[in-house]
């Protein structure tokens, strides 16, 4: 198991990309609480508690270099930026560019970079392709299917070797925590779906398939992942390694869904397949009435929850189990998955 014991010996200045997302937001907050100098990069979201915001489009290499003059003392990078694209090649091209421009921007301004944390996930094991062998381990071989995770990791390992900094790859699953404007946030999908269902006087139904309802799943608390990020940046044994990071318990939606209904004060009903990406935008008006009724922060409806992400997970008809905290030994050029 990974023990998240931190040391003050590596305290410095951290740059968190994708700070508007569920991972970046919680990582920035964790570093700020520990007394680090924290800067968060995103295109839209403003300054947060305890950290400074850099409004940067990381796809613009020149703009990135210019903006990073304000972050020239950066010692640690937590790379949480992500852009969704429809094809494998487009996904790789755009997300590798985000990482390349970030690394080059810090290099150009002379940042004394010591460590980079890169986030991956179940797609490294083929979870997006269908059934994959579980429990998935960090030492599992890569797949023949192209994957932007592999491309990003290869770039990062190459640049780290050339420029002399360390790296750690963390693989969470189903990250849950508060954030808006993030397409991969299961907590917001469930919460908004339940709130709208309740407002419509409907019971809480699992909207996916029966097979997914019965499959084993697990999640990663965003605060746990933030603590793991700080540990990775300060622990020498984490250098060059890959770690699964999950809460450590597995569940079936069949067991959890009635409990969620009780939490929201709703009746429970058996599963009924519904494509959330098609159904939920039709209830925008219901959500807007809830915002008015309860004095909620006004946020564009499309930024509240990623319905496509929910549809994907609620139709995963196989076990998704990645044991957390496996032993080190995954340094060989990033070829381990």
């Amino acid at each position: 198991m990974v023990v998240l014991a931190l040391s003050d010996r590596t305290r410095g200045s951290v740059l968190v990309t994708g700070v508007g997302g569920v991972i970046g937001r919680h990582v920035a907050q964790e570093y700020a609480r520990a007394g680090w100098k924290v800067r968060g990069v995103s295109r839209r979201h403003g300054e947060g508690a305890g950290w400074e915001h850099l409004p940067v489009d990381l796809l613009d290499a020149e703009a990135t270099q210019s903006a990073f003059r304000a972050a020239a003392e950066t010692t640690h990078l937590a790379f949480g930026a992500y852009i969704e694209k429809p094809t494998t090649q487009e996904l790789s091209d755009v997300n590798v560019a985000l990482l390349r421009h970030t690394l080059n921007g810090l290099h150009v301004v002379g940042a004394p970079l010591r460590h980079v944390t890169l986030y991956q996930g179940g797609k490294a094991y083929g979870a997006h392709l269908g059934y994959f062998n579980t429990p998935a381990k960090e030492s599992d071989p890569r797949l023949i299917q192209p994957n932007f995770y592999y491309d990003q990791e290869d770039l990062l390992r190459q640049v780290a070797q050339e420029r002399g900094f360390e790296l750690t790859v963390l693989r969470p699953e189903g990250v849950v925590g508060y954030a808006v404007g993030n397409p991969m946030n299961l907590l917001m999908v469930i919460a908004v779906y339940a709130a709208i269902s309740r407002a419509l006087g409907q019971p809480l139904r699992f909207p996916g398939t029966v097979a997914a309802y019965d499959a084993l799943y697990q999640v990663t608390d965003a605060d746990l992942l933030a603590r793991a990020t700080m540990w990775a940046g300060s622990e020498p044994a984490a250098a060059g390694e890959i770690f699964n990071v999950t809460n450590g318990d597995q569940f079936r939606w069949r067991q959890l869904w009635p409990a969620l209904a009780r939490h929201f004060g709703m009746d429970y009903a058996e599963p009924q397949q519904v494509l959330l990406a098609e159904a939920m935008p039709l209830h925008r008006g219901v959500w807007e009435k809830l915002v008015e009724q309860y004095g909620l922060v006004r946020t564009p409806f499309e930024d509240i929850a990623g319905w496509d992400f929910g549809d994907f997970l609620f139709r995963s008809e196989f076990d998704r189990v990645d044991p957390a905290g496996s032993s080190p030994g995954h340094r060989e050029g990033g070829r381990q998955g």
Side-chain angles (χ1 to χ4, degrees):
M1 293 294 293
V2 174
V3 179
L4 302 182
L6 304 179
S7 169
D8 288 341
R9 69 183 182 275
T10 57
R11 181 174 292 154
S13 176
V14 63
L15 185 72
V16 181
T17 67
V19 76
V22 63
I23 294 177
R25 176 189 178 97
H26 288 264
V27 169
Q29 291 175 341
E30 188 71 20
Y31 271 106
R33 281 194 291 265
W36 285 55
K37 176 64 178 179
V38 182
R39 292 183 177 88
V41 175
S42 68
R43 288 179 295 176
R44 294 185 297 169
H45 296 267
E47 186 171 343
W51 52 271
E52 176 186 349
H53 181 237
L54 295 180
V56 182
D57 181 358
L58 295 176
L59 289 179
D60 187 329
E62 292 186 5
T64 299
Q65 294 174 16
S66 177
F68 282 6
R69 294 192 189 105
E73 77 274 30
T74 297
T75 59
H76 289 64
L77 169 64
F79 190 81
Y82 174 78
I83 295 178
E84 180 69 26
K85 288 293 181 181
T87 70
T88 299
Q89 190 60 56
E90 288 176 297
L91 194 64
S92 181
D93 289 345
V94 72
N95 285 288
V96 169
L98 292 175
L99 178 59
R100 180 183 294 109
H101 294 167
T102 299
L103 295 173
N104 288 345
L106 290 172
H107 184 66
V108 166
V109 300
L113 193 61
R114 299 201 300 257
H115 187 274
V116 176
T117 301
L118 179 68
Y119 304 100
Q120 298 181 347
K123 288 182 181 179
Y125 302 119
H128 58 306
L129 301 175
Y131 171 83
F132 65 101
N133 185 50
T134 60
K137 299 180 180 180
E138 300 92 330
S139 56
D140 289 348
R142 286 185 174 183
L143 307 175
I144 194 171
Q145 173 76 14
N147 193 313
F148 83 95
Y149 284 154
Y150 305 160
D151 297 337
Q152 281 188 322
E153 184 183 337
D154 288 345
L155 171 66
L156 181 59
R157 289 187 184 275
Q158 176 185 343
V159 175
Q161 185 175 23
E162 293 171 353
R163 299 177 186 172
F165 58 82
E166 301 291 353
L167 68 95
T168 304
V169 177
L170 301 182
R171 291 177 177 168
E173 174 60 48
V175 181
V176 292
Y178 174 73
V180 295
N182 174 31
M184 295 186 176
N185 189 347
L186 186 58
L187 178 66
M188 297 300 291
V189 170
I190 294 174
V192 178
Y193 169 68
I196 290 177
S197 295
R198 179 176 176 177
L200 291 171
Q202 297 182 1
L204 189 63
R205 301 180 179 93
F206 181 73
T209 64
V210 172
Y213 201 52
D214 286 325
L216 282 175
Y217 191 54
Q218 59 188 359
V219 296
T220 303
D221 177 65
D223 287 329
L224 172 66
L225 184 59
R227 295 195 298 273
T229 300
M230 289 196 66
W231 171 84
S234 64
E235 173 54 58
E241 302 295 342
I242 304 172
F243 296 97
N244 292 328
V245 181
T246 66
N247 289 1
D249 51 354
Q250 292 87 44
F251 61 87
R252 303 181 197 278
W253 290 115
R254 179 176 294 281
Q255 299 161 340
L256 190 59
W257 216 253
L260 290 172
R262 290 194 298 271
H263 173 78
F264 286 104
M266 301 173 63
D267 291 332
Y268 160 77
E270 287 295 310
Q272 176 62 56
Q273 290 188 55
V274 174
L275 278 175
L276 298 177
E278 292 182 0
M280 300 314 294
L282 301 178
H283 298 299
R284 176 192 298 262
V286 177
W287 178 256
E288 291 174 349
K289 289 181 180 178
L290 291 174
V291 171
E292 185 70 24
Q293 179 180 353
Y294 294 102
L296 305 180
V297 175
R298 294 187 179 278
T299 306
F301 184 74
E302 56 272 16
D303 289 347
I304 292 293
W307 303 118
D308 286 325
F309 182 61
D311 286 334
F312 169 68
L313 290 181
F314 294 151
R315 282 162 175 74
S316 294
E317 300 181 340
F318 43 85
D319 294 347
R320 296 174 64 120
V321 179
D322 315 325
S326 300
S327 61
H330 315 296
R331 299 186 184 214
E332 298 300 322
R335 307 313 299 179
Q336 286 74 22

